[in-house]
mmCIF file with all atom_site columns, all heavy atoms in Angstrom:
data_model
loop_
_atom_site.group_PDB
_atom_site.id
_atom_site.type_symbol
_atom_site.label_atom_id
_atom_site.label_alt_id
_atom_site.label_comp_id
_atom_site.label_asym_id
_atom_site.label_entity_id
_atom_site.label_seq_id
_atom_site.pdbx_PDB_ins_code
_atom_site.Cartn_x
_atom_site.Cartn_y
_atom_site.Cartn_z
_atom_site.occupancy
_atom_site.B_iso_or_equiv
_atom_site.pdbx_formal_charge
_atom_site.auth_seq_id
_atom_site.auth_comp_id
_atom_site.auth_asym_id
_atom_site.auth_atom_id
_atom_site.pdbx_PDB_model_num
ATOM   1   N N   . MET A 1 70  ? 18.124 -1.654 2.280  1.00 47.00 ? 191 MET A N   1
ATOM   2   C CA  . MET A 1 70  ? 17.459 -0.486 1.734  1.00 47.00 ? 191 MET A CA  1
ATOM   3   C C   . MET A 1 70  ? 18.252 0.768  2.066  1.00 47.00 ? 191 MET A C   1
ATOM   4   O O   . MET A 1 70  ? 18.694 0.954  3.173  1.00 47.00 ? 191 MET A O   1
ATOM   5   C CB  . MET A 1 70  ? 16.047 -0.356 2.285  1.00 47.00 ? 191 MET A CB  1
ATOM   6   C CG  . MET A 1 70  ? 15.064 -1.144 1.446  1.00 47.00 ? 191 MET A CG  1
ATOM   7   S SD  . MET A 1 70  ? 13.373 -1.057 2.006  1.00 47.00 ? 191 MET A SD  1
ATOM   8   C CE  . MET A 1 70  ? 13.373 0.382  3.016  1.00 47.00 ? 191 MET A CE  1
ATOM   9   N N   . GLU A 1 97  ? -0.614 -1.373 -1.284 1.00 98.00 ? 218 GLU A N   1
ATOM   10  C CA  . GLU A 1 97  ? 0.566  -1.083 -0.461 1.00 98.00 ? 218 GLU A CA  1
ATOM   11  C C   . GLU A 1 97  ? 0.389  0.259  0.228  1.00 98.00 ? 218 GLU A C   1
ATOM   12  O O   . GLU A 1 97  ? -0.316 1.141  -0.276 1.00 98.00 ? 218 GLU A O   1
ATOM   13  C CB  . GLU A 1 97  ? 1.809  -1.112 -1.371 1.00 98.00 ? 218 GLU A CB  1
ATOM   14  C CG  . GLU A 1 97  ? 3.125  -0.749 -0.730 1.00 98.00 ? 218 GLU A CG  1
ATOM   15  C CD  . GLU A 1 97  ? 3.563  -1.633 0.438  1.00 98.00 ? 218 GLU A CD  1
ATOM   16  O OE1 . GLU A 1 97  ? 2.768  -1.809 1.378  1.00 98.00 ? 218 GLU A OE1 1
ATOM   17  O OE2 . GLU A 1 97  ? 4.713  -2.107 0.426  1.00 98.00 ? 218 GLU A OE2 1
ATOM   18  N N   . ASP A 1 98  ? 1.036  0.416  1.373  1.00 98.00 ? 219 ASP A N   1
ATOM   19  C CA  . ASP A 1 98  ? 0.905  1.669  2.122  1.00 98.00 ? 219 ASP A CA  1
ATOM   20  C C   . ASP A 1 98  ? 1.673  2.824  1.478  1.00 98.00 ? 219 ASP A C   1
ATOM   21  O O   . ASP A 1 98  ? 1.150  3.909  1.313  1.00 98.00 ? 219 ASP A O   1
ATOM   22  C CB  . ASP A 1 98  ? 1.336  1.480  3.593  1.00 98.00 ? 219 ASP A CB  1
ATOM   23  C CG  . ASP A 1 98  ? 2.722  0.845  3.748  1.00 98.00 ? 219 ASP A CG  1
ATOM   24  O OD1 . ASP A 1 98  ? 3.357  0.487  2.733  1.00 98.00 ? 219 ASP A OD1 1
ATOM   25  O OD2 . ASP A 1 98  ? 3.176  0.701  4.900  1.00 98.00 ? 219 ASP A OD2 1
ATOM   26  N N   . ILE A 1 99  ? 2.944  2.560  1.132  1.00 97.00 ? 220 ILE A N   1
ATOM   27  C CA  . ILE A 1 99  ? 3.788  3.661  0.644  1.00 97.00 ? 220 ILE A CA  1
ATOM   28  C C   . ILE A 1 99  ? 4.852  3.128  -0.311 1.00 97.00 ? 220 ILE A C   1
ATOM   29  O O   . ILE A 1 99  ? 5.351  2.018  -0.125 1.00 97.00 ? 220 ILE A O   1
ATOM   30  C CB  . ILE A 1 99  ? 4.428  4.407  1.845  1.00 97.00 ? 220 ILE A CB  1
ATOM   31  C CG1 . ILE A 1 99  ? 5.175  5.678  1.414  1.00 97.00 ? 220 ILE A CG1 1
ATOM   32  C CG2 . ILE A 1 99  ? 5.346  3.509  2.666  1.00 97.00 ? 220 ILE A CG2 1
ATOM   33  C CD1 . ILE A 1 99  ? 5.518  6.616  2.579  1.00 97.00 ? 220 ILE A CD1 1
ATOM   34  N N   . ASP A 1 101 ? 8.490  4.126  -1.562 1.00 94.00 ? 222 ASP A N   1
ATOM   35  C CA  . ASP A 1 101 ? 9.597  4.995  -1.219 1.00 94.00 ? 222 ASP A CA  1
ATOM   36  C C   . ASP A 1 101 ? 10.657 4.826  -2.306 1.00 94.00 ? 222 ASP A C   1
ATOM   37  O O   . ASP A 1 101 ? 10.545 5.432  -3.369 1.00 94.00 ? 222 ASP A O   1
ATOM   38  C CB  . ASP A 1 101 ? 10.067 4.566  0.182  1.00 94.00 ? 222 ASP A CB  1
ATOM   39  C CG  . ASP A 1 101 ? 11.097 5.474  0.803  1.00 94.00 ? 222 ASP A CG  1
ATOM   40  O OD1 . ASP A 1 101 ? 10.991 6.681  0.612  1.00 94.00 ? 222 ASP A OD1 1
ATOM   41  O OD2 . ASP A 1 101 ? 11.999 4.969  1.487  1.00 94.00 ? 222 ASP A OD2 1
ATOM   42  N N   . THR A 1 102 ? 11.651 3.952  -2.124 1.00 93.00 ? 223 THR A N   1
ATOM   43  C CA  . THR A 1 102 ? 12.633 3.710  -3.192 1.00 93.00 ? 223 THR A CA  1
ATOM   44  C C   . THR A 1 102 ? 11.999 2.947  -4.359 1.00 93.00 ? 223 THR A C   1
ATOM   45  O O   . THR A 1 102 ? 12.464 3.034  -5.485 1.00 93.00 ? 223 THR A O   1
ATOM   46  C CB  . THR A 1 102 ? 13.824 2.878  -2.687 1.00 93.00 ? 223 THR A CB  1
ATOM   47  O OG1 . THR A 1 102 ? 13.350 1.596  -2.281 1.00 93.00 ? 223 THR A OG1 1
ATOM   48  C CG2 . THR A 1 102 ? 14.512 3.555  -1.518 1.00 93.00 ? 223 THR A CG2 1
ATOM   49  N N   . GLY A 1 103 ? 10.981 2.138  -4.064 1.00 94.00 ? 224 GLY A N   1
ATOM   50  C CA  . GLY A 1 103 ? 10.350 1.319  -5.091 1.00 94.00 ? 224 GLY A CA  1
ATOM   51  C C   . GLY A 1 103 ? 10.927 -0.083 -5.166 1.00 94.00 ? 224 GLY A C   1
ATOM   52  O O   . GLY A 1 103 ? 10.417 -0.931 -5.900 1.00 94.00 ? 224 GLY A O   1
ATOM   53  N N   . ILE A 1 104 ? 11.978 -0.339 -4.399 1.00 92.00 ? 225 ILE A N   1
ATOM   54  C CA  . ILE A 1 104 ? 12.674 -1.629 -4.483 1.00 92.00 ? 225 ILE A CA  1
ATOM   55  C C   . ILE A 1 104 ? 11.766 -2.795 -4.070 1.00 92.00 ? 225 ILE A C   1
ATOM   56  O O   . ILE A 1 104 ? 11.696 -3.820 -4.750 1.00 92.00 ? 225 ILE A O   1
ATOM   57  C CB  . ILE A 1 104 ? 13.964 -1.599 -3.630 1.00 92.00 ? 225 ILE A CB  1
ATOM   58  C CG1 . ILE A 1 104 ? 14.965 -0.618 -4.259 1.00 92.00 ? 225 ILE A CG1 1
ATOM   59  C CG2 . ILE A 1 104 ? 14.578 -2.990 -3.497 1.00 92.00 ? 225 ILE A CG2 1
ATOM   60  C CD1 . ILE A 1 104 ? 16.182 -0.314 -3.393 1.00 92.00 ? 225 ILE A CD1 1
ATOM   61  N N   . THR A 1 105 ? 11.056 -2.622 -2.978 1.00 92.00 ? 226 THR A N   1
ATOM   62  C CA  . THR A 1 105 ? 10.175 -3.689 -2.484 1.00 92.00 ? 226 THR A CA  1
ATOM   63  C C   . THR A 1 105 ? 9.094  -4.020 -3.517 1.00 92.00 ? 226 THR A C   1
ATOM   64  O O   . THR A 1 105 ? 8.882  -5.187 -3.860 1.00 92.00 ? 226 THR A O   1
ATOM   65  C CB  . THR A 1 105 ? 9.502  -3.268 -1.158 1.00 92.00 ? 226 THR A CB  1
ATOM   66  O OG1 . THR A 1 105 ? 10.503 -2.794 -0.265 1.00 92.00 ? 226 THR A OG1 1
ATOM   67  C CG2 . THR A 1 105 ? 8.747  -4.418 -0.537 1.00 92.00 ? 226 THR A CG2 1
ATOM   68  N N   . LYS A 1 129 ? 6.021  8.637  -2.453 1.00 97.00 ? 250 LYS A N   1
ATOM   69  C CA  . LYS A 1 129 ? 7.099  9.568  -2.088 1.00 97.00 ? 250 LYS A CA  1
ATOM   70  C C   . LYS A 1 129 ? 8.048  9.636  -3.276 1.00 97.00 ? 250 LYS A C   1
ATOM   71  O O   . LYS A 1 129 ? 9.096  8.991  -3.288 1.00 97.00 ? 250 LYS A O   1
ATOM   72  C CB  . LYS A 1 129 ? 7.829  8.944  -0.889 1.00 97.00 ? 250 LYS A CB  1
ATOM   73  C CG  . LYS A 1 129 ? 8.294  9.891  0.163  1.00 97.00 ? 250 LYS A CG  1
ATOM   74  C CD  . LYS A 1 129 ? 9.237  9.172  1.102  1.00 97.00 ? 250 LYS A CD  1
ATOM   75  C CE  . LYS A 1 129 ? 8.639  8.874  2.442  1.00 97.00 ? 250 LYS A CE  1
ATOM   76  N NZ  . LYS A 1 129 ? 9.655  8.292  3.360  1.00 97.00 ? 250 LYS A NZ  1
ATOM   77  N N   . ARG A 1 149 ? 9.757  12.758 3.769  1.00 95.00 ? 270 ARG A N   1
ATOM   78  C CA  . ARG A 1 149 ? 9.910  12.862 5.223  1.00 95.00 ? 270 ARG A CA  1
ATOM   79  C C   . ARG A 1 149 ? 9.434  11.548 5.804  1.00 95.00 ? 270 ARG A C   1
ATOM   80  O O   . ARG A 1 149 ? 8.878  10.740 5.082  1.00 95.00 ? 270 ARG A O   1
ATOM   81  C CB  . ARG A 1 149 ? 9.036  14.011 5.754  1.00 95.00 ? 270 ARG A CB  1
ATOM   82  C CG  . ARG A 1 149 ? 9.299  15.263 4.974  1.00 95.00 ? 270 ARG A CG  1
ATOM   83  C CD  . ARG A 1 149 ? 9.261  16.551 5.739  1.00 95.00 ? 270 ARG A CD  1
ATOM   84  N NE  . ARG A 1 149 ? 9.243  16.506 7.163  1.00 95.00 ? 270 ARG A NE  1
ATOM   85  C CZ  . ARG A 1 149 ? 8.456  17.316 7.894  1.00 95.00 ? 270 ARG A CZ  1
ATOM   86  N NH1 . ARG A 1 149 ? 7.635  18.149 7.299  1.00 95.00 ? 270 ARG A NH1 1
ATOM   87  N NH2 . ARG A 1 149 ? 8.519  17.266 9.208  1.00 95.00 ? 270 ARG A NH2 1
ATOM   88  N N   . PHE A 1 150 ? 9.642  11.327 7.112  1.00 95.00 ? 271 PHE A N   1
ATOM   89  C CA  . PHE A 1 150 ? 9.219  10.047 7.664  1.00 95.00 ? 271 PHE A CA  1
ATOM   90  C C   . PHE A 1 150 ? 7.754  10.092 8.077  1.00 95.00 ? 271 PHE A C   1
ATOM   91  O O   . PHE A 1 150 ? 7.355  10.843 8.948  1.00 95.00 ? 271 PHE A O   1
ATOM   92  C CB  . PHE A 1 150 ? 10.117 9.574  8.815  1.00 95.00 ? 271 PHE A CB  1
ATOM   93  C CG  . PHE A 1 150 ? 10.062 8.081  8.917  1.00 95.00 ? 271 PHE A CG  1
ATOM   94  C CD1 . PHE A 1 150 ? 10.822 7.283  8.066  1.00 95.00 ? 271 PHE A CD1 1
ATOM   95  C CD2 . PHE A 1 150 ? 9.170  7.470  9.800  1.00 95.00 ? 271 PHE A CD2 1
ATOM   96  C CE1 . PHE A 1 150 ? 10.713 5.892  8.110  1.00 95.00 ? 271 PHE A CE1 1
ATOM   97  C CE2 . PHE A 1 150 ? 9.059  6.084  9.847  1.00 95.00 ? 271 PHE A CE2 1
ATOM   98  C CZ  . PHE A 1 150 ? 9.839  5.298  8.996  1.00 95.00 ? 271 PHE A CZ  1
ATOM   99  N N   . ILE A 1 151 ? 6.970  9.258  7.417  1.00 97.00 ? 272 ILE A N   1
ATOM   100 C CA  . ILE A 1 151 ? 5.519  9.265  7.568  1.00 97.00 ? 272 ILE A CA  1
ATOM   101 C C   . ILE A 1 151 ? 5.107  8.147  8.521  1.00 97.00 ? 272 ILE A C   1
ATOM   102 O O   . ILE A 1 151 ? 5.612  7.022  8.418  1.00 97.00 ? 272 ILE A O   1
ATOM   103 C CB  . ILE A 1 151 ? 4.861  9.006  6.189  1.00 97.00 ? 272 ILE A CB  1
ATOM   104 C CG1 . ILE A 1 151 ? 5.441  9.908  5.088  1.00 97.00 ? 272 ILE A CG1 1
ATOM   105 C CG2 . ILE A 1 151 ? 3.349  9.118  6.270  1.00 97.00 ? 272 ILE A CG2 1
ATOM   106 C CD1 . ILE A 1 151 ? 5.166  11.357 5.219  1.00 97.00 ? 272 ILE A CD1 1
ATOM   107 N N   . LEU A 1 156 ? 1.167  2.861  9.027  1.00 97.00 ? 277 LEU A N   1
ATOM   108 C CA  . LEU A 1 156 ? 2.631  3.009  8.905  1.00 97.00 ? 277 LEU A CA  1
ATOM   109 C C   . LEU A 1 156 ? 3.270  3.210  10.276 1.00 97.00 ? 277 LEU A C   1
ATOM   110 O O   . LEU A 1 156 ? 2.734  3.926  11.114 1.00 97.00 ? 277 LEU A O   1
ATOM   111 C CB  . LEU A 1 156 ? 2.977  4.204  8.010  1.00 97.00 ? 277 LEU A CB  1
ATOM   112 C CG  . LEU A 1 156 ? 2.663  3.998  6.543  1.00 97.00 ? 277 LEU A CG  1
ATOM   113 C CD1 . LEU A 1 156 ? 1.353  4.664  6.194  1.00 97.00 ? 277 LEU A CD1 1
ATOM   114 C CD2 . LEU A 1 156 ? 3.764  4.544  5.665  1.00 97.00 ? 277 LEU A CD2 1
ATOM   115 N N   . ASP A 1 157 ? 4.427  2.598  10.428 1.00 96.00 ? 278 ASP A N   1
ATOM   116 C CA  . ASP A 1 157 ? 5.082  2.626  11.741 1.00 96.00 ? 278 ASP A CA  1
ATOM   117 C C   . ASP A 1 157 ? 6.451  3.270  11.708 1.00 96.00 ? 278 ASP A C   1
ATOM   118 O O   . ASP A 1 157 ? 7.060  3.458  10.654 1.00 96.00 ? 278 ASP A O   1
ATOM   119 C CB  . ASP A 1 157 ? 5.250  1.194  12.260 1.00 96.00 ? 278 ASP A CB  1
ATOM   120 C CG  . ASP A 1 157 ? 6.377  0.463  11.509 1.00 96.00 ? 278 ASP A CG  1
ATOM   121 O OD1 . ASP A 1 157 ? 6.360  0.463  10.262 1.00 96.00 ? 278 ASP A OD1 1
ATOM   122 O OD2 . ASP A 1 157 ? 7.269  -0.104 12.169 1.00 96.00 ? 278 ASP A OD2 1
HETATM 123 P P1  . IMP B 2 .   ? 10.711 0.854  -0.675 1.00 63.39 ? 22  IMP B P1  1
HETATM 124 O O1  . IMP B 2 .   ? 11.148 -0.508 -1.078 1.00 63.39 ? 22  IMP B O1  1
HETATM 125 O O2  . IMP B 2 .   ? 11.870 1.752  -0.338 1.00 63.39 ? 22  IMP B O2  1
HETATM 126 O O3  . IMP B 2 .   ? 9.746  1.505  -1.609 1.00 63.39 ? 22  IMP B O3  1
HETATM 127 O O4  . IMP B 2 .   ? 10.073 0.668  0.748  1.00 63.39 ? 22  IMP B O4  1
HETATM 128 C C1  . IMP B 2 .   ? 8.772  0.526  0.978  1.00 63.39 ? 22  IMP B C1  1
HETATM 129 C C2  . IMP B 2 .   ? 8.542  0.153  2.413  1.00 63.39 ? 22  IMP B C2  1
HETATM 130 O O5  . IMP B 2 .   ? 9.364  0.920  3.341  1.00 63.39 ? 22  IMP B O5  1
HETATM 131 C C3  . IMP B 2 .   ? 7.121  0.514  2.737  1.00 63.39 ? 22  IMP B C3  1
HETATM 132 O O6  . IMP B 2 .   ? 6.275  -0.570 2.464  1.00 63.39 ? 22  IMP B O6  1
HETATM 133 C C4  . IMP B 2 .   ? 7.207  0.869  4.198  1.00 63.39 ? 22  IMP B C4  1
HETATM 134 O O7  . IMP B 2 .   ? 7.032  -0.300 4.962  1.00 63.39 ? 22  IMP B O7  1
HETATM 135 C C5  . IMP B 2 .   ? 8.604  1.407  4.410  1.00 63.39 ? 22  IMP B C5  1
HETATM 136 N N1  . IMP B 2 .   ? 8.630  2.878  4.383  1.00 63.39 ? 22  IMP B N1  1
HETATM 137 C C6  . IMP B 2 .   ? 9.146  3.672  3.425  1.00 63.39 ? 22  IMP B C6  1
HETATM 138 N N2  . IMP B 2 .   ? 9.001  4.977  3.733  1.00 63.39 ? 22  IMP B N2  1
HETATM 139 C C7  . IMP B 2 .   ? 8.348  5.023  4.909  1.00 63.39 ? 22  IMP B C7  1
HETATM 140 C C8  . IMP B 2 .   ? 7.883  6.103  5.764  1.00 63.39 ? 22  IMP B C8  1
HETATM 141 O O8  . IMP B 2 .   ? 8.029  7.308  5.488  1.00 63.39 ? 22  IMP B O8  1
HETATM 142 N N3  . IMP B 2 .   ? 7.240  5.715  6.897  1.00 63.39 ? 22  IMP B N3  1
HETATM 143 C C9  . IMP B 2 .   ? 7.062  4.417  7.242  1.00 63.39 ? 22  IMP B C9  1
HETATM 144 N N4  . IMP B 2 .   ? 7.466  3.382  6.480  1.00 63.39 ? 22  IMP B N4  1
HETATM 145 C C10 . IMP B 2 .   ? 8.115  3.687  5.341  1.00 63.39 ? 22  IMP B C10 1
#
Side-chain angles (χ1 to χ4, degrees):
M191 273 180 19
E218 176 60 307
D219 52 357
I220 187 166
D222 188 37
T223 63
I225 293 170
T226 310
K250 218 192 253 186
R270 309 216 12 222
F271 206 81
I272 311 293
L277 289 100
D278 74 309

